[in-house]
Amino acid sequence: MRFEKRDHCPSCNGTTFTELHRTAYDAHGLQSFLTAYYSAVPPGRLQEVLNGGTFSIVECGGCGLIFQHMLPSDAILAEIYGNWLGRNDPLAPSKPPMPLDYYTYMAQEIMQLIAFLQKRHGRDRRLRFLDYGMSWGNWVLMAQGFGVEVFGVEKSPIKCAYAQSRGIKVLSLEELSRYSFDFISMEQVVEHLSFPRQTVLTMKDALASGGIIKISVPDGSHMKSVLRSWTWDGAIAQKDKIMPVH
């Protein structure tokens, strides 16, 4: 497991960066933050996976994107999304239900999408939705309940197995070319990708004629001011401030 320094901006492919923050992963404050945040990770595993890496945040001089300069390997990403963010996710089916507003928002969004797309394509064709980074599949299960044919892409084997048990077709990136979708949801997922530009272009190619992609990411407009005075001592109490780059 290792990290690789990005040579190009993952959005515009620019090569001019300004560093906004740098902390080694084995620094005490950052270690304390990660240990508190990923509380279910076995003792010593964080250090084993992350030691030798650096949490470096840079700003692209071309497009202004703020991103992590050191790219985690596929093995590290599989560890994080497959194990560290597995059953302990508050959205997991083993956890108590989310507040009613959570389900209401999803239902309203899906109904609006169906109404809009039926005006565009008519009511005779069954709509096909893809959730890229579907987590436990809550959104696509809701869409399925409204008569939509649903698909998902997800890194976590645990979440994929659960989604499949609920009738969701789980696809690999290689399988996407066999399908076309009326709507692709990328809800709070693009900021987690190693190569977001390429992935979004792949999603574009998977759209049916007249299809829509929704991309939703955290608001990072305040990150430069936060990072100017950021310290990792006691940072877990302010975890929401650092979330867009964490």
Side-chain angles (χ1 to χ4, degrees):
M1 294 185 181
R2 63 187 183 87
F3 294 83
E4 181 179 349
K5 183 178 291 186
R6 297 181 193 263
D7 294 325
H8 295 81
C9 170
S11 175
C12 73
N13 289 325
T15 57
T16 304
F17 313 136
T18 300
E19 189 168 73
L20 304 177
H21 178 86
R22 170 185 286 263
T23 302
Y25 277 112
D26 57 7
H28 175 74
L30 181 50
Q31 281 280 335
S32 297
F33 173 85
L34 294 172
T35 300
Y37 191 92
Y38 300 104
S39 57
V41 178
R45 185 56 178 163
L46 280 164
Q47 293 86 340
E48 182 181 348
V49 172
L50 298 176
N51 276 4
T54 302
F55 184 74
S56 172
I57 304 299
V58 298
E59 180 182 25
C60 175
C63 69
L65 183 74
I66 295 173
F67 60 94
Q68 292 189 29
H69 201 186
M70 303 301 295
L71 179 66
S73 67
D74 288 343
I76 292 176
L77 294 175
E79 177 82 11
I80 293 171
Y81 294 107
N83 299 324
W84 299 2
L85 295 173
R87 293 186 178 89
N88 296 292
D89 187 331
L91 296 175
S94 59
K95 300 295 183 181
M98 296 293 286
L100 186 60
D101 287 351
Y102 170 78
Y103 304 101
T104 302
Y105 173 83
M106 287 195 296
Q108 290 176 339
E109 178 184 55
I110 290 164
M111 286 190 292
Q112 289 173 345
L113 285 167
I114 292 172
F116 178 84
L117 289 166
Q118 284 183 342
K119 286 182 180 179
R120 177 172 284 184
H121 302 298
R123 296 176 56 88
D124 294 335
R125 181 162 65 84
R126 185 177 293 273
L127 296 172
R128 182 179 280 176
F129 288 4
L130 171 71
D131 192 355
Y132 185 94
M134 67 176 170
S135 185
W136 295 100
N138 291 342
W139 190 88
V140 280
L141 284 171
M142 181 73 75
Q144 188 181 59
F146 283 95
V148 175
E149 186 180 6
V150 295
F151 300 77
V153 174
E154 172 57 45
K155 275 185 172 291
S156 167
I158 295 172
K159 295 174 181 178
C160 286
Y162 176 77
Q164 288 173 322
S165 74
R166 299 296 302 275
I168 299 170
K169 300 179 182 70
V170 181
L171 303 178
S172 67
L173 287 177
E174 293 73 26
E175 292 174 314
L176 287 177
S177 61
R178 305 177 194 171
Y179 299 88
S180 59
F181 303 96
D182 299 294
F183 181 78
I184 298 176
S185 176
M186 303 186 78
E187 176 74 35
Q188 306 298 322
V189 66
V190 173
E191 71 274 15
H192 295 275
L193 301 176
S194 299
F195 304 102
R197 180 185 178 89
Q198 293 93 317
T199 304
V200 171
L201 290 175
T202 298
M203 295 301 103
K204 178 177 177 290
D205 290 340
L207 276 182
S209 176
I212 301 168
I213 299 177
K214 175 192 176 185
I215 299 174
S216 180
V217 297
D219 179 4
S221 59
H222 65 295
M223 284 314 307
K224 288 178 72 172
S225 60
V226 168
L227 291 172
R228 287 191 192 103
S229 58
W230 184 255
T231 174
W232 290 104
D233 295 330
I236 194 64
Q238 304 183 73
K239 62 181 185 297
D240 289 345
K241 287 186 177 181
I242 202 72
M243 184 270 292
V245 292
H246 170 207

